[in-house]
Amino acid sequence: LAKTTQPISMDSYEGQEVNITCSHNNIATNDYITWYQQFPSQGPRFIIQGYKTKVTNEVASLFIPADRKSSTLSLPRVSLSDTAVYYCLVGADSNYQLIWGAGTKLIIKP
Amino acid sequence: NAGVMQNPRHLVRRRGQEARLRCSPMKGHSHVYWYRQLPEEGLKFMVYLQKENIIDESGMPKERFSAEFPKEGPSILRIQQVVRGDSAAYFCASSAGEINTGELFFGEGSRLTVL
């Protein structure tokens, strides 16, 4: 199961675009990249998942370069309510056993 | 609310007592997963169950911890003779089938405090 490395914390301001990069140098051919969001005192919530290139949904975009050794979660025009911890997970089989790091604590300021 | 339901949300126990945490998966989901989270840390997998079967308990301590998912009723994570180190948030997640890719749906968690 690939390990990931993310910044421990990030600050930004309302209305800005926020990019959180995750390194996963040992990603395997079959591995997918998944991001979750967790608010204080709540369970994690799925944001987005991708394998290569770019994936976009109503919440975020996920950019994955050709070598797949990193990925970037992009949150457009953040608001105060986007303050949360964001987790990058990498894996394929036994997805429930993915290793959760400490995530990136994103703080959005007014 | 058709989401994953966990109760109690908060539980306080004294050392040596038993803690029982319950999880009702999303409607139509028959796969349940339990995780533990300490403050400022990520989730750690404990156990994966299907109805009446434990599929993978490799993350669950062999002593004092047990889990079940009966044919009827919620999944239960049971911690016997709790110690202070058991204080944590315990999250349950569910899925409709085997989860290789795709999302896990999490409950709000049960926060256990051991005095």
Side-chain angles (χ1 to χ4, degrees), chain B:
Chain B
N1 187 342
V4 177
M5 303 299 292
Q6 290 188 247
N7 67 82
R9 291 294 309 278
H10 300 275
L11 183 63
V12 179
R13 287 286 179 266
R14 296 190 181 280
R15 281 178 295 171
Q17 292 184 318
E18 178 180 287
R20 282 191 182 226
L21 310 176
R22 286 174 289 278
C23 169
S24 295
M26 282 184 69
K27 188 175 182 180
H29 286 190
S30 59
H31 298 243
V32 165
Y33 316 82
W34 285 93
Y35 296 83
R36 169 188 159 115
Q37 185 177 37
L38 294 172
E40 309 300 318
E41 294 186 12
L43 277 66
K44 285 188 168 53
F45 166 74
M46 297 181 72
V47 61
Y48 164 28
L49 310 104
Q50 294 180 30
K51 286 283 188 181
E52 300 184 278
N53 284 306
I54 296 176
I55 307 302
D56 183 347
E57 56 182 347
S58 59
M60 193 162 66
K62 294 288 186 285
E63 296 182 359
R64 303 189 299 108
F65 286 74
S66 62
E68 63 176 10
F69 189 14
K71 187 177 180 181
E72 301 291 337
S75 174
I76 295 175
L77 178 67
R78 181 183 180 204
I79 311 172
Q80 295 178 287
Q81 299 172 345
V82 295
V83 301
R84 289 220 173 107
D86 296 331
S87 295
Y90 293 85
F91 289 96
C92 168
S94 72
S95 65
E98 287 188 10
I99 188 89
N100 289 324
T101 59
E103 62 181 290
L104 288 169
F105 294 86
F106 285 89
E108 297 294 286
S110 292
R111 279 148 189 86
L112 172 65
T113 301
V114 179
L115 301 177

Side-chain angles (χ1 to χ4, degrees), chain A residues 25-103:
Chain A
N25 291 317
N26 297 322
I27 191 168
T29 304
N30 295 333
D31 286 344
Y32 278 74
I33 300 155
T34 309
W35 286 79
Y36 280 83
Q37 173 192 57
Q38 186 178 25
F39 297 115
S41 300
Q42 293 190 25
R45 187 181 72 160
F46 174 90
I47 302 175
I48 198 165
Q49 184 180 74
Y51 182 80
K52 62 179 179 181
T53 61
K54 177 183 173 183
V55 180
T56 298
N57 62 23
E58 64 277 6
V59 176
S61 294
L62 179 60
F63 298 92
I64 306 168
D67 66 5
R68 304 201 326 122
K69 293 185 183 298
S70 66
S71 58
T72 299
L73 175 72
S74 181
L75 305 173
R77 296 180 301 280
V78 293
S79 64
L80 295 176
S81 63
D82 291 315
T83 294
V85 179
Y86 292 82
Y87 296 95
C88 165
L89 306 168
V90 171
D93 293 340
S94 303
N95 203 31
Y96 61 88
Q97 281 206 30
L98 295 181
I99 296 173
W100 294 66

